Amino acid sequence: MSEKVDKAKTSEKLTGIKIGQPKKVAGGIPAVLSSVAHISKETGVFKGLKVLSKMNQKQGFDCPGCAWPDPDDERSSLGEYCENGAKAISEEVTSKLLTPEFFRDHSVPALAQLSDYEIGKKGRIAQPMYLPAGASHYEAISWATAFDKIGTKLNSLASPNESVFYTSGRTSNEAAFLYQLFVRAYGTNNLPDCSNMCHESSGVALSETLGIGKGSVTLEDFYEAEVIVVMGQNPGTNHPRMLTALQKAKKNGANIVSVNPIKESGLLNFSHPQDLSALVGVSTKLTDQYLQVKVNGDLALLQAVNHLLVKKEEINPGTVLDQNFITSRTQGSKEYLQHIAQIDLDRCIADSGVSRQKIDQLVDLLAAKSKIIVCWAMGLTQHHNAVATIKEVVNLLLLKGSVGKPGAGTCPVRGHSNVQGDRTVGIVERPPKQLLEGIEREFHFTPPAEHGYDVVNSIKAMHDDKVKVFFAMGGNFISATPDTAYTGRALEKCDLTVHVSTKLNRSHLVHGKEALILPCISRTEKDVQAGKEQFVTVENSMGIVHSSQGILPPSSSELMSEPAIVCRLAMATLKESTINWDQYMSDYDSIRDSIESTIAGFDNYNVRVREPSGFYLPNVARAGTFRKDTGKAHFTVSENKTIQLKENEYLMMTVRSHDQFNTTIYGLDDRYRGIYNERRVVMMNPKDIRALGFVANDLVDLYNHTNDIERVAPKFVVVPYDIPRGTVATYFPEANVLVPISETAQYSNTPASKSVVVTLRKQKAQV
Ligand SMILES: Nc1nc2c(c(=O)[nH]1)N[C@H]1C(S)=C(S)[C@@H](COP(=O)(O)OP(=O)(O)OC[C@H]3O[C@@H](n4cnc5c(=O)[nH]c(N)nc54)[C@H](O)[C@@H]3O)O[C@H]1N2
Ligand SMILES: Nc1nc2c(c(=O)[nH]1)N[C@H]1C(S)=C(S)[C@@H](COP(=O)(O)OP(=O)(O)OC[C@H]3O[C@@H](n4cnc5c(=O)[nH]c(N)nc54)[C@H](O)[C@@H]3O)O[C@H]1N2
Ligand SMILES: [Mo]
């Protein structure tokens, strides 16, 4: 059975592929030129450079690009930004505005025909927009009428659980705290979050083993580490400023190990774009050992490594493992050591796709060092066995005593700039007891305790007609989620879909019976409430909370801030509410005071966040005190469950190109990988291309048949690439149509969008 929802589908137009060589060095002058070109095109050179100079400065705004921390000390006077941060800003500060005339001239079905790249380039939404039932065009609506419509609809539902409130990780602590407070006061825990698709697997694995779902290291630890292992992450593209930290670590003597199916340029060599050495082409070699693991082969690899480390210790007791740490600070080592001793080593090595020689080299390195950091991102979290893989990372660190001391620990590198903070201040569909108690103590109502829907369960519930209202605080739900056709139908079953957004995206075009777009001010823009300039706060990947204050006037006078939108929404919905929404809206200090009294770790929030670099939240893994119940870090036992493919099946990972931020497509090039002007590509091993009777540039259709449903992504261009046999790579969101809604990580329910089983069939034409 083939399933189609046209408006949800990404454009199938091909744009004219050009193939070059993958780059050997990341950063450098090409990165500077690319930044300046992007920002100048959207807003002019002068304003562009002014904005860049304020990015990530102590008195500036937080880059909306990623969650990598800012150095505590020296920040470049040129602006602490990277090429991709500059592109993210260009998208935001674009001078193009979408007025009511734009929506009058462009129907929803016509806009849906455009590619995501074209949709994103249209501009900023300038005023609230409303799509009446049965209409084909959005029309302008006043803020008051918009809030009234939402409030009336929410109050008409049979149960608050018939609504879902999504968050994307750009939302500030202040907006996120108010949002979850409103949603809980209204009566539901249906708070799916982009982290359900992102680092949820890390959160689950780390909470169980180390007592906190966040990473344990700081930037200082990077500079002290002896070994840094980077697994399933492409920092050159997605966290470029991490390369500066790796470069510094390397200068201090660290060994860098990369574990990735493809040789990402950012991990090979780096030339700092804001450094004079870049002008003369000097670069630093980053990776010392490159393990080209098979997609989904990390659990097998880690088990092989841990097995061999334990064997080595048996031969030379007291020289490889940290016995003192294992005995005094951990629990479960006996069961774990028994388990790891009897694994099928040959099978693990075969499943990993890495040679015995390379594995031995890594084991020798790890055996000799004691300050080890493991970093990871989506290459580990978006698999069926993701939680088990991350627990195996923890086992490795525990064997080596490498957590809770300087120069060592866990580093799950976060995505969205405040995805970690949103979680900290209460955006969770399964609220912990302390959060509920905090809310009850502070606001004198009993918040709902039963679990709400995460992202995948929200989609299923919409599909099963259990949800009538979908509300999104940012993000682009239809393009970010799996199984595009299924999810499109789910959204279209809602009575009302509402998006708080900065820019037009596909989620505005795949709507419920009625739809609203509420335009908000962005990170770069000034937020003035009650005549006073406000600032917001965010938490980065290393648990530092700091302020962010925009510098530009809002692009339209009709924009509203996210905190103000939540307050107005609450006032329109909860007529009897005793919470002082008016006060929150006019003074963000009052929001921070309430966060302080509701959530642990924010003592003296308003004072400490005004310090130039902000403050660290408490972290039990960093402190080495670990789980609250036992005071220990826990070893855990997992079976090696690597996906076994049938004949003609391939395992597909969906990754980001160098020219996108999640579903926002900045351009059509993937410069570091040498693929230009096309996103509908499938990277394949040349031997697999030959085995299937394909040649480079062939057009192929990709299929997935999980649960006997045929999912098709037509017309992808075959690109020969240095990638292990049996695995292929495509870009998201184009390939999301193939990710089955039913395939998620065990325990975290994260879509397994890096291990999608596909088959390929050639089309008649070639490009
Ligand atoms: N410019 C830019 N910056 C971003 C983003 C963006 O889209 N653009 N997105 C932000 C967000 S929300 C996030 S979560 C992060 C994402 O940052 P990343 O996780 O770096 O992003 P992906 O492109 O998904 O890259 C995954 C990497 O994992 C590798 N990989 C895939 N499968 C496997 C596997 O089975 N094993 C191993 N070892 N490796 C594997 C891929 O080859 C790729 O290098 O970046 C954030 N920063
Ligand atoms: N196949 C596949 N799917 C994936 C992934 C993958 O690797 N492979 N990665 C997953 C990951 S890691 C993530 S985090 C999700 C991302 O999922 P989302 O967070 O939902 O998606 P984004 O593309 O980041 O959202 C972009 C939209 O946010 C809005 N926006 C931008 N800035 C602001 C702002 O300041 N305020 C508000 N209110 N709106 C704003 C704009 O309208 C823009 O169109 O996608 C997931 N989907
Ligand atoms: Mo993410």
Side-chain angles (χ1 to χ4, degrees), residues 194-195 197-199 378 382 414-416 419 656 662:
C194 71
S195 57
M197 299 180 269
C198 187
H199 266 294
M378 298 305 100
Q382 297 173 333
R414 298 278 160 174
H416 267 301
V419 62
R656 293 154 171 80
N662 299 339

Side-chain angles (χ1 to χ4, degrees), residues 321-608:
L321 306 186
D322 187 338
Q323 295 293 358
N324 187 20
F325 180 88
I326 295 172
T327 322
S328 63
R329 313 279 289 282
T330 73
Q331 185 161 311
S333 60
K334 199 165 146 236
E335 295 80 349
Y336 178 72
L337 290 170
Q338 260 168 15
H339 164 79
I340 204 72
Q342 51 79 38
I343 59 157
D344 182 343
L345 180 64
D346 292 337
R347 161 94 193 274
C348 282
I349 294 174
D351 284 351
S352 77
V354 180
S355 70
R356 173 70 194 253
Q357 189 207 358
K358 289 219 156 195
I359 294 177
D360 281 338
Q361 246 179 2
L362 174 58
V363 169
D364 288 345
L365 174 69
L366 294 171
K369 307 287 183 189
S370 66
K371 290 180 180 174
I372 302 163
I373 292 177
V374 183
C375 310
W376 69 91
M378 298 305 100
L380 291 203
T381 64
Q382 297 173 333
H383 296 280
H384 300 88
N385 55 7
V387 174
T389 304
I390 296 160
K391 285 188 190 171
E392 207 59 51
V393 167
V394 172
N395 289 335
L396 164 63
L397 294 171
L398 295 184
L399 288 173
K400 295 290 303 172
S402 255
V403 202
K405 70 176 185 192
T410 55
C411 185
V413 184
R414 298 278 160 174
H416 267 301
S417 51
N418 196 39
V419 62
Q420 188 159 314
D422 289 348
R423 276 292 161 111
T424 306
V425 301
I427 304 290
V428 265
E429 76 282 359
R430 287 171 293 173
K433 214 164 122 249
Q434 307 92 290
L435 174 68
L436 297 177
E437 285 168 0
I439 293 174
E440 181 143 18
R441 194 178 56 237
E442 184 64 12
F443 299 101
H444 315 294
F445 73 91
T446 308
E450 75 276 18
H451 291 178
Y453 299 132
D454 60 14
V455 164
V456 165
N457 288 333
S458 294
I459 298 168
K460 288 183 179 166
M462 285 186 241
H463 212 269
D464 294 345
D465 298 308
K466 290 184 189 148
V467 169
K468 308 278 179 237
V469 177
F470 173 81
F471 188 103
M473 181 57 78
N476 183 2
F477 197 79
I478 184 64
S479 301
T481 48
D483 225 336
T484 313
Y486 179 92
T487 302
R489 276 205 312 278
L491 283 165
E492 288 180 338
K493 283 184 160 193
C494 294
D495 289 346
L496 174 67
T497 47
V498 186
H499 286 89
V500 178
S501 307
T502 48
K503 301 202 61 179
L504 188 68
N505 65 42
R506 192 167 293 279
S507 296
H508 305 133
L509 310 174
V510 182
H511 50 79
K513 293 184 186 75
E514 292 175 272
L516 282 159
I517 311 176
L518 309 179
C520 65
I521 64 167
S522 68
R523 280 279 169 86
T524 36
E525 292 168 337
K526 285 186 188 161
D527 183 354
V528 180
Q529 305 290 343
K532 217 177 118 207
E533 246 183 75
Q534 309 285 328
F535 67 87
V536 292
T537 60
V538 291
E539 174 185 343
N540 66 31
S541 206
M542 293 179 178
I544 303 168
V545 179
H546 62 95
S547 67
S548 173
Q549 188 163 23
I551 53 162
L552 300 172
S555 52
S556 150
S557 59
E558 286 223 47
L559 305 185
M560 204 180 273
S561 78
E562 290 182 354
I565 290 174
V566 179
C567 293
R568 294 280 301 269
L569 177 62
M571 290 189 277
T573 311
L574 311 171
K575 307 277 188 206
E576 317 275 292
S577 177
T578 53
I579 298 168
N580 199 342
W581 302 103
D582 244 335
Q583 159 87 9
Y584 284 147
M585 190 156 72
S586 55
D587 176 12
Y588 294 1
D589 276 356
S590 69
I591 311 176
R592 286 183 283 272
D593 284 340
S594 290
I595 295 178
E596 178 178 335
S597 28
T598 310
I599 293 164
F602 286 90
D603 309 302
N604 224 355
Y605 195 176
N606 271 310
V607 174
R608 288 198 295 158

Side-chain angles (χ1 to χ4, degrees), residues 126-409:
Q127 62 289 305
M129 299 302 303
Y130 171 56
L131 185 71
S136 57
H137 291 70
Y138 273 97
E139 54 195 49
I141 186 173
S142 73
W143 278 103
T145 318
F147 287 126
D148 191 49
K149 272 192 190 299
I150 307 169
T152 307
K153 182 71 202 176
L154 288 176
N155 283 319
S156 76
L157 298 183
S159 151
N161 292 328
E162 289 186 346
S163 58
V164 155
F165 296 86
Y166 174 68
T167 313
S168 163
R170 227 177 245 195
T171 301
S172 65
N173 283 353
E174 288 74 5
F177 177 78
L178 294 181
Y179 187 49
Q180 62 82 35
L181 180 63
F182 157 68
V183 170
R184 294 200 160 98
Y186 168 60
T188 180
N189 279 319
N190 288 342
L191 283 160
D193 180 38
C194 71
S195 57
N196 296 144
M197 299 180 269
C198 187
H199 266 294
E200 189 75 46
S201 306
S202 310
V204 171
L206 293 173
S207 303
E208 184 184 332
T209 53
L210 299 178
I212 181 168
K214 304 178 183 182
S216 73
V217 299
T218 66
L219 269 183
E220 286 306 314
D221 292 320
F222 263 70
Y223 308 148
E224 274 193 51
E226 294 170 322
V227 182
I228 300 174
V229 186
V230 183
M231 301 186 77
Q233 198 203 340
N234 179 17
T237 287
N238 297 314
H239 306 91
R241 288 181 312 127
M242 177 175 168
L243 300 187
T244 316
L246 289 176
Q247 189 182 37
K248 193 162 169 187
K250 182 91 195 181
K251 281 185 183 148
N252 291 352
N255 280 273
I256 296 176
V257 179
S258 295
V259 181
N260 201 307
I262 49 190
K263 286 204 165 169
E264 304 284 19
S265 347
L267 290 166
L268 297 173
N269 299 291
F270 173 57
S271 160
H272 197 315
Q274 291 166 29
D275 208 3
L276 281 181
S277 58
L279 287 173
V280 287
V282 175
S283 64
T284 311
K285 174 175 179 273
L286 288 181
T287 295
D288 300 283
Q289 295 188 19
Y290 215 116
L291 279 65
Q292 254 181 304
V293 68
K294 272 195 210 163
V295 169
N296 196 237
D298 303 86
L299 178 57
L301 173 70
L302 287 159
Q303 294 205 335
V305 167
N306 289 352
H307 173 91
L308 291 167
L309 282 171
V310 171
K311 281 263 133 52
K312 237 179 161 49
E313 169 80 5
E314 276 168 20
I315 298 167
N316 282 307
T319 62
V320 177
L321 306 186
D322 187 338
Q323 295 293 358
N324 187 20
F325 180 88
I326 295 172
T327 322
S328 63
R329 313 279 289 282
T330 73
Q331 185 161 311
S333 60
K334 199 165 146 236
E335 295 80 349
Y336 178 72
L337 290 170
Q338 260 168 15
H339 164 79
I340 204 72
Q342 51 79 38
I343 59 157
D344 182 343
L345 180 64
D346 292 337
R347 161 94 193 274
C348 282
I349 294 174
D351 284 351
S352 77
V354 180
S355 70
R356 173 70 194 253
Q357 189 207 358
K358 289 219 156 195
I359 294 177
D360 281 338
Q361 246 179 2
L362 174 58
V363 169
D364 288 345
L365 174 69
L366 294 171
K369 307 287 183 189
S370 66
K371 290 180 180 174
I372 302 163
I373 292 177
V374 183
C375 310
W376 69 91
M378 298 305 100
L380 291 203
T381 64
Q382 297 173 333
H383 296 280
H384 300 88
N385 55 7
V387 174
T389 304
I390 296 160
K391 285 188 190 171
E392 207 59 51
V393 167
V394 172
N395 289 335
L396 164 63
L397 294 171
L398 295 184
L399 288 173
K400 295 290 303 172
S402 255
V403 202
K405 70 176 185 192

